[in-house]
Amino acid sequence: MKQILILTAVAVTLATPAFSADEAVLASYKKHCAACHGADGKGQTTMGKKVSCKDYSDAKVTAEVKDDEALKAVKEGLKDKAGKELMKPFSAKLSDDEIKALVAHLKTFAKK
Ligand code: HEC
């Protein structure tokens, strides 16, 4: 009986990741994206105001975000019409899957 309990305890420990996927995305968002887009997605940070970030807590704004365009924008960066850099390219730092998860995270602000 005791052995079964120990085995169960070991199995549960192994099956529980130290970091859940959501926490990893949140940590990555805070590290790479929140400086401009804000912890709440509203873009009302010093940097966000400077580069005119949109309010991603507004469902009308997130509705216009196409996943493929968003992936490309975050990977390759965004420039304004005058060629001034608005968002830097993240392709060297993040994988496509990480970027997709971060874009999905940005869109959740409008659902809260
Ligand atoms: C240096 C500031 C800055 C940082 C850092 C930044 N962004 Fe942006 N981002 C912008 C600006 C400015 C725009 C254009 C205006 C807007 O859509 O808010 C933009 C646009 C976007 C868009 C819309 C693209 C489209 O197709 O219209 C997405 C999605 C996005 N950012 C996601 C992210 C993610 C994910 C991160 C973190 C990996 C990030 N941003 C980091 C400034 C930034």
Side-chain angles (χ1 to χ4, degrees):
M1 188 57 193
K2 206 174 165 194
Q3 272 144 325
I4 293 174
L5 280 180
I6 293 170
L7 275 180
T8 312
V10 170
V12 169
T13 312
L14 290 178
T16 315
F19 236 161
S20 79
D22 283 355
E23 279 174 282
V25 170
L26 198 63
S28 182
Y29 178 84
K30 281 191 186 143
K31 186 172 169 199
H32 299 291
C33 321
C36 293
H37 292 289
D40 53 6
K42 291 185 181 169
Q44 290 301 306
T45 61
T46 308
M47 275 290 276
K49 284 183 194 162
K50 217 163 124 185
V51 292
S52 319
C53 278
K54 292 178 190 165
D55 180 359
Y56 284 99
S57 70
D58 184 342
K60 280 191 236 93
V61 175
T62 55
E64 281 170 25
V65 176
K66 306 279 171 289
D67 287 337
D68 50 344
E69 283 168 29
L71 174 66
K72 189 170 180 284
V74 179
K75 263 174 92 163
E76 298 172 14
L78 270 186
K79 291 196 168 112
D80 69 9
K81 286 185 195 103
K84 187 175 138 258
E85 187 169 84
L86 298 175
M87 179 161 67
K88 8 171 232 208
F90 283 96
S91 55
K93 287 188 186 149
L94 300 166
S95 71
D96 283 15
D97 284 346
E98 283 170 314
I99 294 172
K100 280 180 201 161
L102 288 167
V103 171
H105 182 69
L106 193 62
K107 287 174 147 187
T108 62
F109 293 117
K111 291 180 192 136
K112 280 175 188 158

